[in-house]
Amino acid sequence: FGAVWPGEDCARAADAPPAAGTLWRLLSLGGEAVDWAPPEAEPFLLIDAAEGRALVPAGCNRRMPRLVAGPADGVLAFGDGPGTLMLCPEPLASREAALDAALAATAGYAVGGRRLRLLDAEGAALAEFEAVYRP
């Protein structure tokens, strides 16, 4: 038993999207719900395994961390990469800092139903995402 995803049933869990190539909308960071509203850009994660990087716009800036490991067999790790460095208003600045810290601490992941969780080395959830689009 790895995890529980509320609102998901066995049929949807069996059809879980892949971690790479799926557009994942950010739902929570450190257990706290993430709110956003237009015209703010929607925060998401897109893992491009072929290019060895990810795209992570957090609402103000865009990050493109490189993949250090994975995604494979529950292992995923991000390294430094290019990104923009605009001065962001609150609460965007705090959310971006928290997302950067979550990416830096990521050692694994779990996909269940339409949810992706980034996990630290002890298996604790750092961030949770929902699949918006999958190939």
Side-chain angles (χ1 to χ4, degrees), residues 25-35 95 99 102 115-118 125-130:
R25 175 186 305 138
L26 181 63
L27 296 176
S28 67
L29 276 168
E32 297 290 324
V34 171
D35 294 323
R95 180 173 68 208
L99 185 54
R115 301 286 172 100
L116 166 76
R117 286 185 178 156
L118 299 183
L126 299 166
E128 186 170 12
F129 299 81
E130 178 180 35

Side-chain angles (χ1 to χ4, degrees), residues 91-107:
L92 294 179
S94 295
R95 180 173 68 208
E96 286 189 357
L99 185 54
D100 286 346
L103 292 172
T106 297

Side-chain angles (χ1 to χ4, degrees), residues 6-108:
E8 297 293 335
D9 59 23
C10 293
R12 285 181 57 111
D15 191 31
T22 300
L23 183 71
W24 299 98
R25 175 186 305 138
L26 181 63
L27 296 176
S28 67
L29 276 168
E32 297 290 324
V34 171
D35 294 323
W36 69 276
E40 177 187 320
E42 180 177 24
F44 68 84
L45 169 68
L46 178 61
I47 298 170
D48 186 341
E51 293 292 322
R53 63 181 171 86
L55 176 60
V56 189
C60 183
N61 286 296
R62 290 180 174 257
R63 306 282 194 259
M64 291 183 289
R66 63 186 169 79
L67 296 177
V68 176
D73 299 325
V75 176
L76 180 63
F78 300 97
D80 292 334
T84 60
L85 294 172
M86 296 185 295
L87 182 60
C88 304
E90 288 298 340
L92 294 179
S94 295
R95 180 173 68 208
E96 286 189 357
L99 185 54
D100 286 346
L103 292 172
T106 297

